Amino acid sequence: NAGVTQTPKFQVLKTGQSMTLQCAQDMNHEYMSWYRQDPGMGLRLIHYSVGAGITDQGEVPNGYNVSRSTTEDFPLRLLSAAPSQTSVYFCASIDPGRSDWAFFGQGTRLTVV
Amino acid sequence: GQQLNQSPQSMFIQEGEDVSMNCTSSSIFNTWLWYKQDPGEGPVLLIALYKAGELTSNGRLTAQFGITRKDSFLNISASIPSDVGIYFCAGKSRSNYQLIWGAGTKLIIKP
């Protein structure tokens, strides 16, 4: 089982550039989410989706957009990258009706210079 | 918003020592989860707890769901080098899909 797949694993952007972080899951989970992880701050929720066509903001949504056109995919877009967005980004999917577990991708390490 | 207090923030231990960490919440949870994150990887589930008072083991790891439903504990017995990493707690209430995360406990084993 592939589980949750994130691409790319590493990325360097210049300030002002835009890019999309990809996330795909093959577990048919309705709930997907994006987190950023910064040293000493744990995991902070950026955006989440409870199903195709439904998205909502998390704790730190500014500067990011998401869409959910299919159950499998949940891309995260950085509109105009800033150095403050240098972080490690994790995508996760949850099957809340069964186990409440969050399954994580391997992460994308993003550096904005 | 909701917050989890996870402590300690980091631990330096000798190989073979037992480790304890805990999380407390201002809110009641119906699910407590413990994850471990290895360097360069995403968090991986260690133990899931669903009932107040529940005590669950996974090898040398034991976790408990507090009676008040506002706290949880993780113990690691006889630590070994591969135990190093960051341990996260997460809680969930029945009414919400979202998981609330602790800030993590970084475990470092002294050579």
Side-chain angles (χ1 to χ4, degrees), chain A residues 3-4 23-35 68 71-72 91-96 100-105, chain B residues 35 99:
Chain A
V4 180
C23 176
Q25 54 96 3
D26 61 0
M27 296 173 283
N28 204 34
H29 289 170
E30 291 294 323
Y31 184 89
M32 296 183 74
S33 55
W34 276 101
Y35 294 90
R68 185 92 181 272
T71 299
E72 293 76 22
C91 176
S93 74
I94 299 175
D95 188 358
D100 290 339
W101 302 352
F103 294 83
F104 284 87
Chain B
Y35 284 80
L99 291 171

Side-chain angles (χ1 to χ4, degrees), chain B residues 18-84:
Chain B
D18 295 343
V19 173
S20 291
M21 60 191 78
N22 70 84
C23 279
T24 59
S25 167
S26 56
S27 305
I28 289 174
F29 288 135
N30 297 99
T31 301
W32 280 98
L33 305 171
W34 284 93
Y35 284 80
K36 183 193 177 200
Q37 184 181 25
D38 291 321
E41 301 290 331
V44 174
L45 183 74
L46 297 173
I47 294 177
L49 303 159
Y50 298 106
K51 287 168 52 176
E54 181 180 356
L55 187 71
T56 297
S57 293
N58 178 6
R60 292 178 295 106
L61 279 62
T62 301
Q64 185 162 24
F65 193 138
I67 292 291
T68 66
R69 297 166 72 186
K70 291 185 177 182
D71 57 4
S72 180
F73 305 85
L74 176 69
N75 296 316
I76 305 172
S77 62
S79 56
I80 60 177
S82 61
D83 290 335
V84 300

